[in-house]
Amino acid sequence: MRIVIAEDNALLREGLILLLTGSGHEVVADAATGPEILPALLKHRPDAAVLDVRLPPTFRDEGLRAAVAARAELPELPILVLSQYVEETYAAELLAQGAQGIGYLLKDRVGRVDQFLEALDRVAAGGTALDPEVVTQLLTRRSSTEPLQSLTPREREVLELMAQGKANGTIAAELVVTERAVSKHIGSIFAKLGLEPDDGTVHRRVLAVLAYLEGRANGSPHTK
C-alpha cells in the first residue's frame, strides 16, 4: 500500500514510517505542516493517507481541514485521521462527504499496533474505522427532540458498534447476545430512524447510519 503521512512530531512520524514500512507498506511522502498535505496527495495519489489533526502553522485543525479538501479533490482517497481529541465540526464535515474509506482514531490507538494496522487496512479497503469516543460524541450532541432519543439503551449500543465498522457477529460477542438479536435491534434502529432497507451488508448499514447522523447534525429535516 502506498501511503502519505502528515505528522509534525518527528519522533511519531518516524515511528509511523518504520511501523508501516516494516508491515510491507510504502510511505511515498511525509508532511510536517498543514499546507504540505494537499500538494503531496495530489502529486502522489496514494492508496491511503494518515493525517494528524493538529499541525503547523496554527496547531488547531489543519489536518482535518486538509482531509476535507483532499476528499473534495480525490473523493475515493481513503483517509485515516489521528487526533488527541474529537474535533466534532470537521469530523462531521468529513463524514458528510461520504463515510466510505474514512477513519478517525484517537492517538492512543496508535500504540496498539494490531488495532491501528487493522483500522488502516479497513479504511484502505473502503470501510470505516471510527474511534468509540468519536461515535459517542456525534451521538450525544443531538437534541432531546430528535429520533435518536427514541432508541433504547441497547439499540444505542448496537448503533455505536455498527458505526465503528463492526460486523454482526462481533457486536453479538461484545454484547453477549445472539446474532439474531443483533439483527432485530438493527431492524428496529432503522425503522425508528426512518431509513430505507439496504442490501444488508455491514458497510452499507454504517454508511446509512452516518449519513443520517450527519443530516441531523446539519439541521436537515429529512435524510436521503
Side-chain angles (χ1 to χ4, degrees):
M1 189 190 310
R2 300 171 64 255
I3 302 171
V4 167
I5 293 175
E7 169 59 59
D8 66 296
N9 183 304
L11 185 60
L12 181 54
R13 184 171 64 250
E14 291 302 316
L16 283 170
I17 292 173
L18 287 174
L19 172 62
L20 293 170
T21 55
S23 300
H25 303 301
E26 177 187 3
V27 178
V28 295
D30 59 89
T33 69
E36 297 176 56
I37 297 174
L38 188 56
L41 294 174
L42 292 176
K43 177 182 178 180
H44 295 281
R45 296 181 177 264
D47 299 313
V50 179
L51 311 178
D52 185 17
V53 168
R54 290 187 172 183
L55 294 167
T58 68
F59 292 98
R60 295 183 65 185
D61 50 23
E62 283 81 2
L64 267 178
R65 285 192 282 113
V68 171
R71 288 288 288 221
E73 295 284 342
L74 304 169
E76 303 301 319
L77 175 66
I79 296 176
L80 179 58
V81 175
L82 303 178
S83 178
Q84 292 181 332
Y85 70 111
V86 180
E87 214 300 333
E88 291 183 19
T89 301
Y90 279 101
E93 185 174 347
L94 185 60
L95 290 170
Q97 295 180 337
Q100 183 175 5
I102 290 294
Y104 193 132
L105 299 181
L106 297 185
K107 280 191 173 180
D108 63 359
R109 310 291 179 197
V110 181
R112 305 171 191 178
V113 175
D114 291 342
Q115 291 185 25
F116 169 69
L117 292 175
E118 189 275 334
L120 179 60
D121 287 341
R122 189 193 312 165
V123 169
T128 55
L130 299 182
D131 193 283
E133 184 63 24
V134 175
V135 177
T136 297
Q137 291 202 28
L138 287 175
L139 286 172
T140 57
R141 67 186 287 184
R142 306 307 187 270
S143 72
S144 60
T145 61
E146 294 183 357
L148 284 169
Q149 297 301 317
S150 68
L151 301 183
T152 67
R154 176 63 80 185
E155 288 168 350
R156 289 176 65 86
E157 288 180 315
V158 171
L159 177 59
E160 291 189 20
L161 293 171
M162 285 173 61
Q164 294 168 33
K166 295 182 178 180
N168 286 9
T170 303
I171 295 174
E174 290 198 20
L175 299 181
V176 196
V177 297
T178 65
E179 287 194 45
R180 183 177 180 181
V182 170
S183 296
K184 290 181 65 176
H185 286 311
I186 291 172
S188 177
I189 289 167
F190 280 105
K192 290 181 178 180
L193 301 187
L195 296 172
E196 294 295 325
D198 55 53
D199 68 359
T201 65
V202 174
H203 183 58
R204 288 291 298 275
R205 290 201 301 273
V206 171
L207 293 183
V209 171
L210 292 176
Y212 170 82
L213 293 177
E214 182 50 37
R216 301 307 300 178
N218 287 336
S220 301
H222 301 287
T223 57
K224 295 182 179 180

